[in-house]
């Protein structure tokens, strides 16, 4: 697939068949994370590839809404970043999440970005704290989000180039 096709096909997929992801596909998604650029090449992100069902269930409850699909996902990539190493941890984590999301499309996998930063669980606890507790991480590790992954059990239409909001582009010439 060329890059434009991957970008057009990229949609948030929240329903999965329950099948495992082939290891080589998971490896490609993780390689994409490591290929992502970081400010000043500080590389603050550490990636936790979770396939353990109990841990996936715990992560699904780490925030109030929008994370339920993790309980049925084949895998989750928790993107953590050492905020003492880089003040650009939000940007660095976001780029890695985006790279993985796109690589998932290329590999025929369904995935969804799940926000953790600035969110709370149903009991009012900070979602990042919940994730740090689940993975036994120190406080300096910040968690922008998690990418859920699975074999897609839903088909979503690709984005057509003719339908893009070109009025949001402002050319100064
Ligand atoms: C920063 C960010 C945070 C997001 N957080 C969530 C989330 O917590 N749960 C969820 O189901 N989807 C989440 N999404 C997916 C968006 O809802 C989705 O990208 C948007 O509705 C557009 O749909 P599409 O990705 O299918 O094109 C997030 C996306 C981004 C970029």
């Amino acid at each position: 697939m060329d890059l434009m096709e991957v970008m057009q096909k990229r949609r948030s997929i929240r329903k999965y068949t329950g099948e495992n992801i082939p290891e080589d596909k998971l490896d490609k998604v993780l390689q994409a994370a490591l290929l992502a650029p970081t400010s000043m090449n500080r590389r603050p992100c550490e990636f936790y590839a979770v396939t353990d069902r109990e841990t996936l269930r715990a992560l699904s409850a780490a925030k109030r809404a929008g994370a339920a699909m993790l309980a049925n996902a084949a895998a989750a990539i928790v993107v953590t970043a050492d905020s003492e190493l880089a003040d650009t941890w939000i940007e660095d984590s976001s780029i890695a999440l985006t790279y993985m999301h796109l690589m998932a499309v290329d590999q025929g996998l369904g995935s969804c970005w799940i926000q953790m930063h600035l969110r709370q669980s149903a009991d009012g606890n900070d979602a990042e704290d919940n994730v740090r507790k689940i993975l036994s991480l120190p406080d300096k590790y910040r968690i922008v989000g998690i990418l859920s992954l699975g074999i897609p059990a839903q088909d979503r239409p690709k984005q057509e180039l003719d339908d893009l909001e070109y009025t949001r582009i402002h050319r100064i010439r």
Side-chain angles (χ1 to χ4, degrees), residues 158-170:
K158 73 171 191 177
Q159 303 183 78
E160 298 296 343
L161 295 181
D162 284 344
D163 297 338
L164 298 180
E165 293 177 315
Y166 290 102
T167 53
R168 289 200 284 129
I169 293 176
H170 308 277

Side-chain angles (χ1 to χ4, degrees), residues 107-161:
Q107 294 303 303
L109 302 174
S111 66
C112 187
W113 179 317
I114 299 166
Q115 177 89 8
M116 286 295 152
H117 177 49
L118 305 174
R119 298 289 180 264
Q120 276 115 39
S121 49
D123 53 12
N125 288 332
D126 180 71
E128 283 190 75
D129 274 343
N130 292 335
V131 175
R132 277 191 290 268
K133 212 170 284 172
I134 292 164
L135 298 180
S136 305
L137 295 171
D139 285 351
K140 69 175 181 173
Y141 282 95
R142 303 299 305 265
I143 299 115
V144 167
I146 297 176
L147 193 77
S148 61
L149 283 167
I151 307 294
Q154 69 179 133
D155 216 12
R156 298 204 51 209
K158 73 171 191 177
Q159 303 183 78
E160 298 296 343
L161 295 181

Side-chain angles (χ1 to χ4, degrees), residues 7-14 63 65-69 94 97-98 101 111-117 119 144-146 148 156-157 159:
M7 288 180 166
Q8 286 183 254
K9 283 192 171 164
R10 186 219 57 77
R11 301 302 309 272
S12 297
I13 301 297
R14 302 179 176 88
K63 77 162 182 164
M69 70 290 244
S94 299
L97 277 158
T98 304
H101 198 21
S111 66
C112 187
W113 179 317
I114 299 166
Q115 177 89 8
M116 286 295 152
H117 177 49
R119 298 289 180 264
V144 167
I146 297 176
S148 61
R156 298 204 51 209
Q159 303 183 78

